[in-house]
Amino acid sequence: MPTNTDKVYTPAPGVKGVVFAAPYSKENAQKGIDLAKDFTKDLNGLTLAGTSVLVNLGGLSDAGIVNAEARDHQKVKDFSGSVISTPQSDFSSTFKLDFVESTNLDVLRLVYGVENVKPITKGGTGADANTVVAVQVNHTAAPLANWVFVTETIQGSKLRRQVIPKGQPITVGDVTQVSKDIIRYEVTVEAFGFTIADGSTVHVVEYLSPDV
C-alpha cells in the first residue's frame, strides 16, 4: 500500500513562536491542557490561571524539539530460567530544546531562575528613574523551578501542540562564547507525571489539528 502523503507531517516553527512557558501551578497546568486544544487561540501571551501568561521563549536551533521516552522493564523468570513476565519498573519523558535567543530574558529566567534575572534601573527621582540600564544574571546552585510548557509546530494548515503540564529544566549544556557561532542554551526538561481532570496521570498531552 503506498504512503498516504496527506498523513505525513513535517514540522516547522509557527509564526508566533515554538515554545511557550509559564510558572508551574496545578491551576496553570490544567488550564494549559484545556486551552491548548483550541487551535483558534494564540499561545503567545495566553492567560492561564489568575494573571499567569504563557511567554514566548523564542527560536530554537535546527535541532528542533527532541522528545525522548524511556520504559525500563524487569525480566521475571521462573525456576527453569524462562522469562514469564516483564513488568515495567520506570518511565521517563524528557525534552531537549536548544534556545538561540540568548538575550531573551524569559529564556534566561528558565535557565538561571526567575529570581536570578534582575533588571537594574537608573534610579533617582527623574522621569527616567525606571529606565533599565543593565540586566544582572546570577548563577547559583539553587534547583530550577517547575514550568508549564506548550510547544507548537505547523505545516501549512496543520498544527501540532504538545503540553508538558509539569516540567523542570534538569541540565543545561555547555555555553560557548566564540566569534564564529552564536550563544545558545541547550536545555533538557524532565516531564513529570501530572494528574489531569479525568484522574489519569500524564507526562505529556499532545493535540493534532483536524487537518493532520
Side-chain angles (χ1 to χ4, degrees):
M1 180 178 177
T3 299
N4 182 350
T5 56
D6 289 338
K7 300 300 181 183
V8 175
Y9 184 80
T10 305
V15 176
K16 298 293 183 67
V18 186
V19 183
F20 306 85
Y24 169 77
S25 70
K26 289 183 178 180
E27 295 76 17
N28 277 349
Q30 187 60 56
K31 198 73 171 179
I33 292 171
D34 293 340
L35 294 177
K37 62 188 173 187
D38 184 351
F39 288 99
T40 66
K41 291 187 180 297
D42 185 350
L43 294 177
N44 192 23
L46 183 64
T47 300
L48 300 182
T51 58
S52 293
V53 299
L54 287 174
V55 296
N56 187 350
L57 297 180
L60 299 178
S61 75
D62 59 1
I65 300 168
V66 181
N67 177 209
E69 294 190 346
R71 299 175 187 270
D72 294 336
H73 292 82
Q74 179 181 355
K75 292 184 179 181
V76 179
K77 299 180 180 180
D78 65 10
F79 191 56
S80 69
S82 299
V83 176
I84 57 174
S85 182
T86 55
Q88 183 171 301
S89 58
D90 190 30
F91 173 83
S92 66
S93 180
T94 60
F95 282 75
K96 185 174 288 186
L97 307 165
D98 195 16
F99 296 104
V100 296
E101 295 185 12
S102 59
T103 60
N104 182 324
L105 296 189
D106 289 315
V107 171
L108 294 175
R109 292 182 181 105
L110 176 74
V111 171
Y112 295 108
V114 172
E115 68 285 354
N116 289 320
V117 180
K118 304 175 181 180
I120 300 173
T121 58
K122 185 174 182 179
T125 59
D128 59 351
N130 293 324
T131 300
V132 176
V133 296
V135 177
Q136 179 176 333
V137 181
N138 295 333
H139 299 214
T140 72
L144 295 174
N146 295 325
W147 294 77
V148 179
F149 294 89
V150 184
T151 71
E152 179 177 84
T153 58
I154 64 171
Q155 178 187 313
S157 61
K158 302 176 182 179
L159 289 95
R160 181 185 296 257
R161 288 176 175 175
Q162 291 177 303
V163 183
I164 306 171
K166 184 179 182 181
Q168 181 186 29
I170 55 172
T171 64
V172 178
D174 294 344
V175 180
T176 304
Q177 300 183 61
V178 294
S179 62
K180 297 179 181 179
D181 199 0
I182 64 172
I183 296 174
R184 63 187 72 205
Y185 293 103
E186 184 184 79
V187 179
T188 300
V189 173
E190 180 85 21
F192 298 118
F194 177 79
T195 303
I196 59 177
D198 66 6
S200 58
T201 298
V202 300
H203 293 252
V204 181
V205 178
E206 186 165 332
Y207 296 112
L208 310 177
S209 69
D211 292 323
V212 174

